[in-house]
Amino acid sequence: MVSKSDFKGKHFISMGDYSRAQLDYILDVADEMVELEKQGSEMARGKVLASLFFEPSTRTRLSFESAMFRLGGSVTTVADPMTSSAKKGESFEDTIRTVMNYVDIIAMRHPDNDAALRAAKVSSVPYINGGSGTWEHPTQTMLDLHCIRYAKGGIDGLTIGMVGDLKNGRTVHSLLKALRNYNVKVYCIAPDALKMKPEVIEEVKDKVEVVEVSDLPKTMPMLDVVYMTRVQRERFASQEEYDKVKDSYIMDRNMIQKHGKKDVVIMHPLPRVNEISTDVDDLPNAWYFRQVKHGIYARMAVIALALGVY
Ligand code: NCD
């Protein structure tokens, strides 16, 4: 039986840590947040969130902060690493050991793959992984699942395609780990150089059917949900390497109308560069901007549960 105590005081690090029942529990709490977001809440009154972002972010940081405000709590933030003591040579662990004295919960993004796991070892307050290198981005997955449930009425039975930079994109690593709990089929659609990380496939392969392909138009007719991703330029060693793959897949109106199911749901964690053409934006299939809103509900749920105030 899942209960609040599964989450109270706990870190939120990896989608590999959660069972189906626990994910559904968080999503149900996120459903309740839809109303609370409108009405406002005093649930987290007196509590403080630190949002520490050592990599660029618009949506994730602002939605963590907005979620905390909507719960009635307060926020202190570092959005620019140049202004923090990390710049003076302070270790990552020492930054966490310091910040945990000021706040009740930490949401953080960091360029190192092991940042979230290292932080969890030293933090005495719940640490929420807001993106850890190319490893994982679990709260993005909670909002993705919440959005899929809303758009499709459920997750079981769907065929889901992940498209683009499946090697460096942390959102799809977390999403695939979460989907191992559902009765879905997943197509990983990527060029050879950007294939899904083998260790992620290894982790899920006994529980979910994963098919690796490279042809988007051929796969498109099978898909109920298409999760587009940005080619992660910042993870490439050279501009030349990036240029070789940057336009591997472009979702446009023609692709949807010629090859897609009529009600195919097009998602993207954003920011997009040019992998979704703007001529898709006014199709009913375009969910990526509506998807953003689910970030508030999902993060309100994760914060409230971790703080134990829900
Ligand atoms: C993603 C990220 O930072 O991993 N953005 C986000 O949080 N919505 C995806 C990306 O940057 O491509």
Side-chain angles (χ1 to χ4, degrees), residues 62-73:
L62 294 188
S63 72
F64 265 118
E65 296 179 359
S66 176
M68 188 60 173
F69 287 129
R70 302 271 184 204
L71 289 167

Side-chain angles (χ1 to χ4, degrees), residues 56 59-60 109 137 140 170-171 230 232 234 268-271:
R59 276 151 290 269
T60 307
R109 168 170 292 183
H137 190 356
Q140 176 70 41
R170 53 193 167 206
T171 62
R230 176 178 70 89
Q232 308 276 298
E234 65 276 28
H268 192 306
L270 303 179

Side-chain angles (χ1 to χ4, degrees), residues 6-17:
D6 289 24
F7 310 101
K8 183 175 176 183
K10 305 272 170 65
H11 305 306
F12 196 80
I13 301 297
S14 164
M15 279 291 107
D17 297 338

Side-chain angles (χ1 to χ4, degrees), residues 144-299:
D144 296 337
L145 296 177
H146 198 251
C147 181
I148 294 172
R149 259 192 10 171
Y150 188 81
K152 286 290 186 190
I155 300 170
D156 290 313
L158 296 176
T159 300
I160 298 172
M162 300 181 188
V163 183
D165 190 349
L166 310 187
K167 178 180 175 205
N168 301 302
R170 53 193 167 206
T171 62
V172 282
H173 302 152
S174 289
L175 183 57
L176 186 52
K177 288 183 194 183
L179 288 174
R180 84 190 191 290
N181 292 295
Y182 294 87
N183 176 23
V184 294
K185 181 169 181 178
V186 180
Y187 281 92
C188 288
I189 305 155
D192 273 353
L194 302 179
K195 281 173 83 169
M196 177 59 78
K197 272 189 184 173
E199 59 266 36
V200 180
I201 302 256
E202 195 53 38
E203 196 174 325
V204 305
K205 73 172 196 296
D206 295 339
K207 307 205 176 73
V208 64
E209 185 179 355
V210 182
V211 187
E212 295 191 85
V213 295
S214 59
D215 191 321
L216 178 59
K218 241 200 215 156
T219 315
M220 199 61 195
M222 262 103 70
L223 306 177
D224 301 302
V225 175
V226 183
Y227 194 92
M228 297 297 296
T229 64
R230 176 178 70 89
V231 177
Q232 308 276 298
R233 180 189 210 131
E234 65 276 28
R235 315 287 180 203
F236 283 75
S238 70
Q239 181 69 31
E240 202 190 337
E241 290 301 304
Y242 170 73
D243 286 341
K244 275 190 213 156
V245 287
K246 70 173 197 272
D247 292 326
S248 299
Y249 301 103
I250 303 207
M251 180 63 66
D252 59 13
R253 218 178 168 95
N254 184 53
M255 177 76 79
I256 294 169
Q257 291 177 341
K258 195 160 159 216
H259 302 284
K261 286 189 182 178
K262 198 172 174 325
D263 58 352
V264 62
V265 167
I266 310 292
M267 297 174 69
H268 192 306
L270 303 179
R272 73 170 149 187
V273 184
N274 52 3
E275 57 281 350
I276 303 182
S277 155
T278 51
D279 71 3
V280 176
D281 293 359
D282 56 0
L283 288 180
N285 311 83
W287 272 84
Y288 32 95
F289 290 117
R290 286 177 275 175
Q291 184 183 346
V292 172
K293 188 79 194 186
H294 293 267
I296 294 286
Y297 312 139
R299 292 188 172 108

Side-chain angles (χ1 to χ4, degrees), residues 69-172:
F69 287 129
R70 302 271 184 204
L71 289 167
S74 313
V75 173
T76 180
T77 189
V78 174
D80 177 1
M82 301 302 275
T83 65
S84 89
S85 282
K87 198 60 200 152
K88 299 185 193 166
E90 180 169 61
S91 80
F92 170 74
E93 277 80 1
D94 285 358
T95 302
I96 301 288
R97 285 187 187 103
T98 303
V99 173
M100 70 196 200
N101 288 282
Y102 306 143
V103 299
D104 304 285
I105 186 164
I106 298 172
M108 183 166 184
R109 168 170 292 183
H110 195 278
D112 292 348
N113 287 0
D114 63 355
L117 286 166
R118 280 167 55 201
K121 280 201 186 115
V122 295
S123 183
S124 61
V125 299
Y127 176 95
I128 316 291
N129 175 7
S132 192
T134 64
W135 183 57
E136 278 211 45
H137 190 356
T139 59
Q140 176 70 41
T141 294
M142 292 317 302
L143 83 88
D144 296 337
L145 296 177
H146 198 251
C147 181
I148 294 172
R149 259 192 10 171
Y150 188 81
K152 286 290 186 190
I155 300 170
D156 290 313
L158 296 176
T159 300
I160 298 172
M162 300 181 188
V163 183
D165 190 349
L166 310 187
K167 178 180 175 205
N168 301 302
R170 53 193 167 206
T171 62
V172 282

